[in-house]
Amino acid sequence: LVLDAYEEALAATPRPDWLTAELRGRLPDWHEATMADDAALAARIRADAIDVLVDLGGHTAHNRLGVLARLPARRHCVFLGWFAGVGVPGIDGLVLGRDQLGAAAGAFLPEPALAIAGTQFRYRPVPYAPAVAGLPALRNGAITFGNFNTAKLNPEVLACWAGLLQAVPGSRLMLQWKTLADEALRQTLAVRMARLGVDPARLFLLGASDHPTLLARYGEVDIALDPFPFPGGMTSLEALTQGVPVVTLAQERPVSRQTAAMLGAIGLQRLVARTQRDYIAIA
């Protein structure tokens, strides 16, 4: 799947940005399809005699699964923008990196897995990414753990992180997500962690910021903590390129192995845990 070999892109992007402009400049045949209904877009694909239709949206917001369900091309697959099968009859396969496919991966996928070597993730930092900062612990005298995709937290993850904070005296935990702008939610989270033995004074709970500010905030984090069973995707890539190691727990579902695949690709397999006990020990 080589971008330069694509002959046609059908873009359904409600909020075009700098990356949209870059991709449009690389592709010889670009069609804005945001306003076209599913039937019209499927008819366009049939008329263009597309051989392989690659869906990048899956079940994310503004997806076009209604087009995919019409099977308008000769072959259809799902890739990259969604972490699992889509459950649409007739789909030829889900493209995944082989490193994401555990022994039991087939049990979790409604479509065949089309494996490519290593990981399917390729990432280049955004043009406005800040320089990698020095180690915060040298300035603070304490380790700061962090996670910037707090929407994926659950009681098991919180209990694991509480155990980690207890195992590392003086350490702090920085969490950022848009919902943490809500005072009531911050208080609820602080109380839950207190019940797990963590002094709320060790927590830094932050609401949303613009993207440059978020990236710069990695300069305040020594070690990023991946949630489970749904780990980071973009957040893991951003942490790693900002010089912050990410500790992850790889389980059986392909989605749970996203960060593990990234770490394997850059030779950091030692940051991949198999159990929660390993996770705490590695961190």
Side-chain angles (χ1 to χ4, degrees), residues 161-193:
W161 290 357
L164 171 60
L165 290 171
Q166 291 164 2
V168 183
S171 59
R172 299 103 56 91
L173 177 62
M174 178 181 290
L175 303 177
Q176 175 167 339
W177 190 251
K178 58 185 178 182
T179 52
L180 290 177
D182 182 74
E183 174 63 23
L185 180 59
R186 291 199 302 272
Q187 289 296 329
T188 297
L189 186 54
V191 168
R192 291 179 69 175
M193 293 298 280

Side-chain angles (χ1 to χ4, degrees), residues 13 15-26 30 123-129 211-212 215 234 238:
T13 308
R15 293 189 299 274
D17 58 14
W18 64 272
L19 183 57
T20 312
E22 180 176 317
L23 293 174
R24 184 186 292 116
R26 289 189 179 197
W30 179 282
Y123 181 69
R124 183 182 63 192
V126 293
Y128 50 82
H211 199 213
L215 293 175
M234 188 61 70
E238 289 177 347

Side-chain angles (χ1 to χ4, degrees), residues 92-201:
D92 295 285
L94 171 69
V95 181
L96 283 172
R98 196 175 302 281
D99 290 351
Q100 277 187 251
L101 296 173
F108 303 110
L109 299 175
E111 294 92 28
L114 306 175
I116 58 178
T119 175
Q120 79 264 30
F121 297 107
R122 301 292 184 271
Y123 181 69
R124 183 182 63 192
V126 293
Y128 50 82
V132 173
L135 193 66
L138 298 180
R139 304 191 303 269
N140 301 327
I143 294 290
T144 302
F145 297 106
N147 174 273
F148 294 167
N149 53 10
T150 308
K152 298 176 180 179
L153 299 191
N154 59 63
E156 196 172 2
V157 169
L158 292 177
C160 180
W161 290 357
L164 171 60
L165 290 171
Q166 291 164 2
V168 183
S171 59
R172 299 103 56 91
L173 177 62
M174 178 181 290
L175 303 177
Q176 175 167 339
W177 190 251
K178 58 185 178 182
T179 52
L180 290 177
D182 182 74
E183 174 63 23
L185 180 59
R186 291 199 302 272
Q187 289 296 329
T188 297
L189 186 54
V191 168
R192 291 179 69 175
M193 293 298 280
R195 289 173 179 166
L196 294 168
V198 176
D199 183 347

Side-chain angles (χ1 to χ4, degrees), residues 8 28 80 191 231 236:
E8 182 167 341
L80 195 64
V191 168
S236 296

Side-chain angles (χ1 to χ4, degrees), residues 265-278:
I266 58 175
L268 291 176
Q269 294 91 336
R270 65 183 183 277
L271 300 181
V272 179
R274 303 301 170 186
T275 67
Q276 290 187 41
R277 179 176 295 182
D278 290 342

